[in-house]
Amino acid sequence: VSNVHGQQNTATATVVVSGSGSIGTIPLSSVSPMSGHIGTQIMLVGSGFTPLDNTVHFGIGGTQHLPSYNGTIYYTIPSYVSPCDLVTSGTFCTQNVQPVMPGPIQVYVQNNLGTSNTILFQIVN
């Protein structure tokens, strides 16, 4: 850089980019079926899932450490969810458990490679 008086200065910076990815880096292609009752087993199909350690986010709750089989994660619709479902083991959580109610609920997958897009699943009576 130089100014109008001819004075100059230089600087160099090194930037290291790291992290666990970003939203949409592990595409969630489909959820099958797209609707169901509590207790229904669904298939989440996509790519970028890890063989042994995926987290399925289901509304405010979900399940950690789920395996995938050839790009498919199997998840059973729970009766109740809580943000405590997703906290690190050994961490204290005081959030209340909430019943899963009929209507749309957001589903997405997260792992050390990133976070998928969200698909709506319809809970029916």
Side-chain angles (χ1 to χ4, degrees), residues 6-41:
Q7 296 171 317
Q8 296 181 350
N9 196 1
T10 61
T12 303
T14 302
V15 177
V16 177
V17 178
S18 64
S20 60
S22 60
I23 293 177
T25 58
I26 53 172
L28 178 57
S29 304
S30 65
V31 173
S32 179
M34 292 290 294
S35 65
H37 302 277
I38 290 168
T40 299
Q41 185 179 64

PDB file of all heavy atoms in Angstrom, residues 6-41:
ATOM      1  N   GLY A   6       4.052   9.005  -1.251  1.00  0.00           N
ATOM      2  CA  GLY A   6       5.051   8.012  -1.639  1.00  0.00           C
ATOM      3  C   GLY A   6       5.446   7.046  -0.544  1.00  0.00           C
ATOM      4  O   GLY A   6       6.314   6.205  -0.733  1.00  0.00           O
ATOM      5  N   GLN A   7       4.829   7.160   0.622  1.00  0.00           N
ATOM      6  CA  GLN A   7       5.131   6.229   1.708  1.00  0.00           C
ATOM      7  C   GLN A   7       4.480   4.877   1.411  1.00  0.00           C
ATOM      8  O   GLN A   7       3.361   4.816   0.899  1.00  0.00           O
ATOM      9  CB  GLN A   7       4.630   6.779   3.040  1.00  0.00           C
ATOM     10  CG  GLN A   7       5.317   8.056   3.454  1.00  0.00           C
ATOM     11  CD  GLN A   7       4.643   8.699   4.665  1.00  0.00           C
ATOM     12  OE1 GLN A   7       3.414   8.747   4.716  1.00  0.00           O
ATOM     13  NE2 GLN A   7       5.454   9.193   5.606  1.00  0.00           N
ATOM     14  N   GLN A   8       5.221   3.824   1.723  1.00  0.00           N
ATOM     15  CA  GLN A   8       4.723   2.471   1.428  1.00  0.00           C
ATOM     16  C   GLN A   8       4.793   1.586   2.663  1.00  0.00           C
ATOM     17  O   GLN A   8       5.640   1.783   3.535  1.00  0.00           O
ATOM     18  CB  GLN A   8       5.550   1.841   0.311  1.00  0.00           C
ATOM     19  CG  GLN A   8       5.447   2.554  -1.002  1.00  0.00           C
ATOM     20  CD  GLN A   8       6.275   1.872  -2.087  1.00  0.00           C
ATOM     21  OE1 GLN A   8       7.059   0.982  -1.819  1.00  0.00           O
ATOM     22  NE2 GLN A   8       6.072   2.304  -3.315  1.00  0.00           N
ATOM     23  N   ASN A   9       3.934   0.590   2.660  1.00  0.00           N
ATOM     24  CA  ASN A   9       3.945  -0.407   3.713  1.00  0.00           C
ATOM     25  C   ASN A   9       3.384  -1.701   3.147  1.00  0.00           C
ATOM     26  O   ASN A   9       2.516  -1.678   2.274  1.00  0.00           O
ATOM     27  CB  ASN A   9       3.125   0.048   4.927  1.00  0.00           C
ATOM     28  CG  ASN A   9       3.421  -0.775   6.167  1.00  0.00           C
ATOM     29  OD1 ASN A   9       4.247  -1.685   6.143  1.00  0.00           O
ATOM     30  ND2 ASN A   9       2.752  -0.432   7.259  1.00  0.00           N
ATOM     31  N   THR A  10       3.877  -2.833   3.619  1.00  0.00           N
ATOM     32  CA  THR A  10       3.371  -4.144   3.185  1.00  0.00           C
ATOM     33  C   THR A  10       3.060  -4.994   4.403  1.00  0.00           C
ATOM     34  O   THR A  10       3.637  -4.799   5.477  1.00  0.00           O
ATOM     35  CB  THR A  10       4.389  -4.884   2.297  1.00  0.00           C
ATOM     36  OG1 THR A  10       5.573  -5.109   3.053  1.00  0.00           O
ATOM     37  CG2 THR A  10       4.700  -4.114   1.038  1.00  0.00           C
ATOM     38  N   ALA A  11       2.164  -5.936   4.217  1.00  0.00           N
ATOM     39  CA  ALA A  11       1.821  -6.884   5.279  1.00  0.00           C
ATOM     40  C   ALA A  11       1.364  -8.177   4.636  1.00  0.00           C
ATOM     41  O   ALA A  11       0.849  -8.183   3.514  1.00  0.00           O
ATOM     42  CB  ALA A  11       0.714  -6.323   6.169  1.00  0.00           C
ATOM     43  N   THR A  12       1.573  -9.264   5.328  1.00  0.00           N
ATOM     44  CA  THR A  12       1.151 -10.578   4.865  1.00  0.00           C
ATOM     45  C   THR A  12       0.334 -11.228   5.970  1.00  0.00           C
ATOM     46  O   THR A  12       0.679 -11.119   7.149  1.00  0.00           O
ATOM     47  CB  THR A  12       2.377 -11.460   4.537  1.00  0.00           C
ATOM     48  OG1 THR A  12       3.170 -10.793   3.560  1.00  0.00           O
ATOM     49  CG2 THR A  12       1.949 -12.814   4.009  1.00  0.00           C
ATOM     50  N   ALA A  13      -0.728 -11.922   5.583  1.00  0.00           N
ATOM     51  CA  ALA A  13      -1.551 -12.644   6.560  1.00  0.00           C
ATOM     52  C   ALA A  13      -1.836 -14.034   6.026  1.00  0.00           C
ATOM     53  O   ALA A  13      -2.053 -14.221   4.835  1.00  0.00           O
ATOM     54  CB  ALA A  13      -2.855 -11.904   6.806  1.00  0.00           C
ATOM     55  N   THR A  14      -1.806 -15.007   6.901  1.00  0.00           N
ATOM     56  CA  THR A  14      -2.180 -16.376   6.558  1.00  0.00           C
ATOM     57  C   THR A  14      -3.523 -16.660   7.204  1.00  0.00           C
ATOM     58  O   THR A  14      -3.713 -16.421   8.401  1.00  0.00           O
ATOM     59  CB  THR A  14      -1.133 -17.379   7.082  1.00  0.00           C
ATOM     60  OG1 THR A  14       0.135 -17.047   6.509  1.00  0.00           O
ATOM     61  CG2 THR A  14      -1.519 -18.802   6.715  1.00  0.00           C
ATOM     62  N   VAL A  15      -4.440 -17.190   6.408  1.00  0.00           N
ATOM     63  CA  VAL A  15      -5.774 -17.520   6.895  1.00  0.00           C
ATOM     64  C   VAL A  15      -5.973 -19.014   6.761  1.00  0.00           C
ATOM     65  O   VAL A  15      -5.764 -19.584   5.687  1.00  0.00           O
ATOM     66  CB  VAL A  15      -6.863 -16.770   6.087  1.00  0.00           C
ATOM     67  CG1 VAL A  15      -8.244 -17.171   6.565  1.00  0.00           C
ATOM     68  CG2 VAL A  15      -6.657 -15.275   6.188  1.00  0.00           C
ATOM     69  N   VAL A  16      -6.364 -19.665   7.852  1.00  0.00           N
ATOM     70  CA  VAL A  16      -6.659 -21.087   7.835  1.00  0.00           C
ATOM     71  C   VAL A  16      -8.158 -21.248   8.005  1.00  0.00           C
ATOM     72  O   VAL A  16      -8.734 -20.737   8.971  1.00  0.00           O
ATOM     73  CB  VAL A  16      -5.906 -21.831   8.962  1.00  0.00           C
ATOM     74  CG1 VAL A  16      -6.284 -23.301   8.973  1.00  0.00           C
ATOM     75  CG2 VAL A  16      -4.408 -21.642   8.808  1.00  0.00           C
ATOM     76  N   VAL A  17      -8.791 -21.937   7.079  1.00  0.00           N
ATOM     77  CA  VAL A  17     -10.227 -22.161   7.136  1.00  0.00           C
ATOM     78  C   VAL A  17     -10.456 -23.605   7.542  1.00  0.00           C
ATOM     79  O   VAL A  17      -9.928 -24.527   6.925  1.00  0.00           O
ATOM     80  CB  VAL A  17     -10.898 -21.880   5.768  1.00  0.00           C
ATOM     81  CG1 VAL A  17     -12.380 -22.159   5.836  1.00  0.00           C
ATOM     82  CG2 VAL A  17     -10.612 -20.460   5.335  1.00  0.00           C
ATOM     83  N   SER A  18     -11.230 -23.798   8.600  1.00  0.00           N
ATOM     84  CA  SER A  18     -11.546 -25.144   9.051  1.00  0.00           C
ATOM     85  C   SER A  18     -12.938 -25.147   9.632  1.00  0.00           C
ATOM     86  O   SER A  18     -13.591 -24.120   9.697  1.00  0.00           O
ATOM     87  CB  SER A  18     -10.531 -25.597  10.106  1.00  0.00           C
ATOM     88  OG  SER A  18     -10.631 -24.786  11.248  1.00  0.00           O
ATOM     89  N   GLY A  19     -13.365 -26.297  10.050  1.00  0.00           N
ATOM     90  CA  GLY A  19     -14.686 -26.394  10.660  1.00  0.00           C
ATOM     91  C   GLY A  19     -15.398 -27.649  10.202  1.00  0.00           C
ATOM     92  O   GLY A  19     -14.845 -28.496   9.509  1.00  0.00           O
ATOM     93  N   SER A  20     -16.652 -27.747  10.558  1.00  0.00           N
ATOM     94  CA  SER A  20     -17.402 -28.968  10.290  1.00  0.00           C
ATOM     95  C   SER A  20     -18.312 -28.843   9.079  1.00  0.00           C
ATOM     96  O   SER A  20     -19.213 -29.646   8.905  1.00  0.00           O
ATOM     97  CB  SER A  20     -18.227 -29.338  11.524  1.00  0.00           C
ATOM     98  OG  SER A  20     -19.121 -28.302  11.809  1.00  0.00           O
ATOM     99  N   GLY A  21     -18.090 -27.879   8.246  1.00  0.00           N
ATOM    100  CA  GLY A  21     -18.927 -27.765   7.058  1.00  0.00           C
ATOM    101  C   GLY A  21     -20.003 -26.721   7.246  1.00  0.00           C
ATOM    102  O   GLY A  21     -19.999 -25.958   8.191  1.00  0.00           O
ATOM    103  N   SER A  22     -20.934 -26.698   6.316  1.00  0.00           N
ATOM    104  CA  SER A  22     -22.007 -25.720   6.377  1.00  0.00           C
ATOM    105  C   SER A  22     -23.311 -26.359   5.947  1.00  0.00           C
ATOM    106  O   SER A  22     -23.342 -27.484   5.485  1.00  0.00           O
ATOM    107  CB  SER A  22     -21.677 -24.520   5.475  1.00  0.00           C
ATOM    108  OG  SER A  22     -21.518 -24.962   4.142  1.00  0.00           O
ATOM    109  N   ILE A  23     -24.379 -25.617   6.076  1.00  0.00           N
ATOM    110  CA  ILE A  23     -25.704 -26.130   5.747  1.00  0.00           C
ATOM    111  C   ILE A  23     -25.771 -26.528   4.282  1.00  0.00           C
ATOM    112  O   ILE A  23     -25.353 -25.783   3.413  1.00  0.00           O
ATOM    113  CB  ILE A  23     -26.783 -25.091   6.087  1.00  0.00           C
ATOM    114  CG1 ILE A  23     -26.828 -24.906   7.596  1.00  0.00           C
ATOM    115  CG2 ILE A  23     -28.146 -25.489   5.551  1.00  0.00           C
ATOM    116  CD1 ILE A  23     -27.796 -23.863   8.073  1.00  0.00           C
ATOM    117  N   GLY A  24     -26.290 -27.707   4.049  1.00  0.00           N
ATOM    118  CA  GLY A  24     -26.458 -28.194   2.690  1.00  0.00           C
ATOM    119  C   GLY A  24     -25.266 -28.954   2.159  1.00  0.00           C
ATOM    120  O   GLY A  24     -25.294 -29.419   1.033  1.00  0.00           O
ATOM    121  N   THR A  25     -24.196 -29.114   2.974  1.00  0.00           N
ATOM    122  CA  THR A  25     -23.021 -29.820   2.482  1.00  0.00           C
ATOM    123  C   THR A  25     -23.219 -31.325   2.456  1.00  0.00           C
ATOM    124  O   THR A  25     -22.453 -32.026   1.822  1.00  0.00           O
ATOM    125  CB  THR A  25     -21.769 -29.483   3.315  1.00  0.00           C
ATOM    126  OG1 THR A  25     -22.024 -29.813   4.671  1.00  0.00           O
ATOM    127  CG2 THR A  25     -21.392 -28.026   3.176  1.00  0.00           C
ATOM    128  N   ILE A  26     -24.213 -31.820   3.149  1.00  0.00           N
ATOM    129  CA  ILE A  26     -24.557 -33.241   3.074  1.00  0.00           C
ATOM    130  C   ILE A  26     -26.022 -33.324   2.624  1.00  0.00           C
ATOM    131  O   ILE A  26     -26.929 -33.254   3.432  1.00  0.00           O
ATOM    132  CB  ILE A  26     -24.288 -33.985   4.398  1.00  0.00           C
ATOM    133  CG1 ILE A  26     -24.946 -33.332   5.602  1.00  0.00           C
ATOM    134  CG2 ILE A  26     -22.806 -34.112   4.657  1.00  0.00           C
ATOM    135  CD1 ILE A  26     -24.851 -34.151   6.869  1.00  0.00           C
ATOM    136  N   PRO A  27     -26.239 -33.443   1.336  1.00  0.00           N
ATOM    137  CA  PRO A  27     -27.603 -33.381   0.801  1.00  0.00           C
ATOM    138  C   PRO A  27     -28.526 -34.473   1.356  1.00  0.00           C
ATOM    139  O   PRO A  27     -28.186 -35.659   1.326  1.00  0.00           O
ATOM    140  CB  PRO A  27     -27.414 -33.562  -0.700  1.00  0.00           C
ATOM    141  CG  PRO A  27     -25.976 -33.286  -0.956  1.00  0.00           C
ATOM    142  CD  PRO A  27     -25.239 -33.623   0.297  1.00  0.00           C
ATOM    143  N   LEU A  28     -29.668 -34.052   1.866  1.00  0.00           N
ATOM    144  CA  LEU A  28     -30.744 -34.955   2.264  1.00  0.00           C
ATOM    145  C   LEU A  28     -31.715 -34.999   1.094  1.00  0.00           C
ATOM    146  O   LEU A  28     -32.408 -34.024   0.813  1.00  0.00           O
ATOM    147  CB  LEU A  28     -31.428 -34.455   3.535  1.00  0.00           C
ATOM    148  CG  LEU A  28     -32.613 -35.256   4.073  1.00  0.00           C
ATOM    149  CD1 LEU A  28     -32.239 -36.713   4.338  1.00  0.00           C
ATOM    150  CD2 LEU A  28     -33.153 -34.603   5.334  1.00  0.00           C
ATOM    151  N   SER A  29     -31.713 -36.122   0.361  1.00  0.00           N
ATOM    152  CA  SER A  29     -32.511 -36.235  -0.866  1.00  0.00           C
ATOM    153  C   SER A  29     -33.986 -36.452  -0.595  1.00  0.00           C
ATOM    154  O   SER A  29     -34.835 -35.868  -1.256  1.00  0.00           O
ATOM    155  CB  SER A  29     -32.001 -37.396  -1.723  1.00  0.00           C
ATOM    156  OG  SER A  29     -30.640 -37.236  -1.998  1.00  0.00           O
ATOM    157  N   SER A  30     -34.280 -37.337   0.383  1.00  0.00           N
ATOM    158  CA  SER A  30     -35.686 -37.649   0.630  1.00  0.00           C
ATOM    159  C   SER A  30     -35.881 -38.233   2.019  1.00  0.00           C
ATOM    160  O   SER A  30     -34.947 -38.734   2.638  1.00  0.00           O
ATOM    161  CB  SER A  30     -36.215 -38.631  -0.416  1.00  0.00           C
ATOM    162  OG  SER A  30     -35.556 -39.880  -0.292  1.00  0.00           O
ATOM    163  N   VAL A  31     -37.126 -38.163   2.464  1.00  0.00           N
ATOM    164  CA  VAL A  31     -37.583 -38.830   3.676  1.00  0.00           C
ATOM    165  C   VAL A  31     -38.755 -39.695   3.243  1.00  0.00           C
ATOM    166  O   VAL A  31     -39.666 -39.222   2.558  1.00  0.00           O
ATOM    167  CB  VAL A  31     -38.026 -37.818   4.752  1.00  0.00           C
ATOM    168  CG1 VAL A  31     -38.644 -38.526   5.937  1.00  0.00           C
ATOM    169  CG2 VAL A  31     -36.848 -36.961   5.200  1.00  0.00           C
ATOM    170  N   SER A  32     -38.715 -40.966   3.619  1.00  0.00           N
ATOM    171  CA  SER A  32     -39.765 -41.881   3.179  1.00  0.00           C
ATOM    172  C   SER A  32     -40.216 -42.751   4.345  1.00  0.00           C
ATOM    173  O   SER A  32     -39.369 -43.353   5.007  1.00  0.00           O
ATOM    174  CB  SER A  32     -39.235 -42.755   2.049  1.00  0.00           C
ATOM    175  OG  SER A  32     -40.216 -43.655   1.630  1.00  0.00           O
ATOM    176  N   PRO A  33     -41.500 -42.797   4.624  1.00  0.00           N
ATOM    177  CA  PRO A  33     -42.566 -42.010   4.000  1.00  0.00           C
ATOM    178  C   PRO A  33     -42.463 -40.552   4.427  1.00  0.00           C
ATOM    179  O   PRO A  33     -41.710 -40.213   5.333  1.00  0.00           O
ATOM    180  CB  PRO A  33     -43.844 -42.663   4.529  1.00  0.00           C
ATOM    181  CG  PRO A  33     -43.452 -43.241   5.856  1.00  0.00           C
ATOM    182  CD  PRO A  33     -42.015 -43.660   5.697  1.00  0.00           C
ATOM    183  N   MET A  34     -43.254 -39.699   3.806  1.00  0.00           N
ATOM    184  CA  MET A  34     -43.258 -38.258   4.104  1.00  0.00           C
ATOM    185  C   MET A  34     -44.207 -37.903   5.247  1.00  0.00           C
ATOM    186  O   MET A  34     -44.226 -36.770   5.704  1.00  0.00           O
ATOM    187  CB  MET A  34     -43.657 -37.454   2.860  1.00  0.00           C
ATOM    188  CG  MET A  34     -42.633 -37.503   1.757  1.00  0.00           C
ATOM    189  SD  MET A  34     -41.140 -36.582   2.162  1.00  0.00           S
ATOM    190  CE  MET A  34     -41.753 -34.922   2.209  1.00  0.00           C
ATOM    191  N   SER A  35     -45.016 -38.865   5.679  1.00  0.00           N
ATOM    192  CA  SER A  35     -45.923 -38.642   6.798  1.00  0.00           C
ATOM    193  C   SER A  35     -46.112 -39.960   7.535  1.00  0.00           C
ATOM    194  O   SER A  35     -45.876 -41.033   6.986  1.00  0.00           O
ATOM    195  CB  SER A  35     -47.269 -38.104   6.311  1.00  0.00           C
ATOM    196  OG  SER A  35     -47.925 -39.062   5.514  1.00  0.00           O
ATOM    197  N   GLY A  36     -46.528 -39.849   8.792  1.00  0.00           N
ATOM    198  CA  GLY A  36     -46.766 -41.057   9.565  1.00  0.00           C
ATOM    199  C   GLY A  36     -47.101 -40.752  11.012  1.00  0.00           C
ATOM    200  O   GLY A  36     -47.077 -39.602  11.446  1.00  0.00           O
ATOM    201  N   HIS A  37     -47.413 -41.805  11.723  1.00  0.00           N
ATOM    202  CA  HIS A  37     -47.772 -41.734  13.135  1.00  0.00           C
ATOM    203  C   HIS A  37     -46.516 -41.827  13.989  1.00  0.00           C
ATOM    204  O   HIS A  37     -45.450 -42.222  13.522  1.00  0.00           O
ATOM    205  CB  HIS A  37     -48.687 -42.911  13.505  1.00  0.00           C
ATOM    206  CG  HIS A  37     -49.932 -42.980  12.708  1.00  0.00           C
ATOM    207  ND1 HIS A  37     -51.047 -42.237  13.008  1.00  0.00           N
ATOM    208  CD2 HIS A  37     -50.249 -43.700  11.597  1.00  0.00           C
ATOM    209  CE1 HIS A  37     -52.002 -42.500  12.133  1.00  0.00           C
ATOM    210  NE2 HIS A  37     -51.541 -43.383  11.255  1.00  0.00           N
ATOM    211  N   ILE A  38     -46.655 -41.518  15.266  1.00  0.00           N
ATOM    212  CA  ILE A  38     -45.594 -41.768  16.233  1.00  0.00           C
ATOM    213  C   ILE A  38     -45.285 -43.263  16.180  1.00  0.00           C
ATOM    214  O   ILE A  38     -46.183 -44.095  16.092  1.00  0.00           O
ATOM    215  CB  ILE A  38     -46.055 -41.332  17.641  1.00  0.00           C
ATOM    216  CG1 ILE A  38     -46.137 -39.805  17.688  1.00  0.00           C
ATOM    217  CG2 ILE A  38     -45.146 -41.890  18.724  1.00  0.00           C
ATOM    218  CD1 ILE A  38     -46.835 -39.247  18.898  1.00  0.00           C
ATOM    219  N   GLY A  39     -44.018 -43.608  16.192  1.00  0.00           N
ATOM    220  CA  GLY A  39     -43.591 -45.003  16.106  1.00  0.00           C
ATOM    221  C   GLY A  39     -43.277 -45.468  14.693  1.00  0.00           C
ATOM    222  O   GLY A  39     -42.733 -46.555  14.510  1.00  0.00           O
ATOM    223  N   THR A  40     -43.592 -44.645  13.685  1.00  0.00           N
ATOM    224  CA  THR A  40     -43.284 -44.986  12.294  1.00  0.00           C
ATOM    225  C   THR A  40     -41.776 -44.915  12.079  1.00  0.00           C
ATOM    226  O   THR A  40     -41.128 -43.962  12.505  1.00  0.00           O
ATOM    227  CB  THR A  40     -43.972 -44.002  11.322  1.00  0.00           C
ATOM    228  OG1 THR A  40     -45.385 -44.082  11.510  1.00  0.00           O
ATOM    229  CG2 THR A  40     -43.628 -44.299   9.877  1.00  0.00           C
ATOM    230  N   GLN A  41     -41.222 -45.924  11.421  1.00  0.00           N
ATOM    231  CA  GLN A  41     -39.809 -45.865  11.050  1.00  0.00           C
ATOM    232  C   GLN A  41     -39.699 -45.197   9.682  1.00  0.00           C
ATOM    233  O   GLN A  41     -40.402 -45.584   8.745  1.00  0.00           O
ATOM    234  CB  GLN A  41     -39.168 -47.246  10.991  1.00  0.00           C
ATOM    235  CG  GLN A  41     -37.670 -47.155  10.722  1.00  0.00           C
ATOM    236  CD  GLN A  41     -37.005 -48.511  10.688  1.00  0.00           C
ATOM    237  OE1 GLN A  41     -37.301 -49.325   9.829  1.00  0.00           O
ATOM    238  NE2 GLN A  41     -36.104 -48.744  11.630  1.00  0.00           N
TER     239      GLN A  41
END
